[in-house]
Amino acid sequence: QVQLVESGGGWVQPGGSLRLSCAASGGTFSTHGMAWFRQAPGKEREFVGAVRRSAGTTHYSDSVKGRFTVSRDKDKNTMYLQMNYLKPEDTAVYYCAAGSGNPISSRLKYASTYEFWGQGTQVTVSS
């Protein structure tokens, strides 16, 4: 059983930066691909970015490409989401997820690809 714990959320002004962390236990990056999703009030959960198991290649949604970066530290078994140039529309609860499969790239954006989820951390971007 994989357990995921997010941290690092908070309030930031537009144009600012935040770094989220997702500490994983019960699994490793060689066995699980991982991803970040977000959900704003009244909206569906949205794919943000993912890092594939083993090779560690990354994929991003168009809405965050060039602003957000997904990375991982194998020694700490932790995934990160560096968020730069934040916008008010980035306000949401951010979740990390882990999946034991090795899906094709087109499947990475679907929540159903991932079996394990964290509890979420709130990110608020406003002036």
Side-chain angles (χ1 to χ4, degrees), residues 13-78:
Q13 291 185 333
S17 299
L18 276 177
R19 189 178 79 156
L20 306 183
S21 300
C22 174
S25 59
T28 69
F29 293 125
S30 63
T31 58
H32 290 77
M34 298 184 71
W36 289 98
F37 285 74
R38 65 187 182 186
Q39 189 165 19
K43 294 189 176 181
E44 294 186 354
R45 193 164 294 192
E46 174 191 22
F47 172 74
V48 175
V51 55
R52 301 185 69 97
R53 71 181 192 187
S54 299
T57 52
T58 53
H59 301 263
Y60 300 95
S61 69
D62 288 342
S63 62
V64 307
K65 196 174 295 182
R67 300 189 298 123
F68 291 10
T69 302
V70 178
S71 63
R72 63 186 189 182
D73 184 327
K74 289 184 177 181
D75 291 337
K76 296 182 179 179
N77 221 25
T78 298

Side-chain angles (χ1 to χ4, degrees), residues 3 47 70 107 113:
Q3 292 184 325
F47 172 74
V70 178
R107 295 293 308 172
T113 298

Side-chain angles (χ1 to χ4, degrees), residues 86-101:
L86 281 160
K87 306 174 182 179
E89 51 263 44
D90 294 319
T91 295
V93 177
Y94 283 71
Y95 298 91
C96 69
S100 57

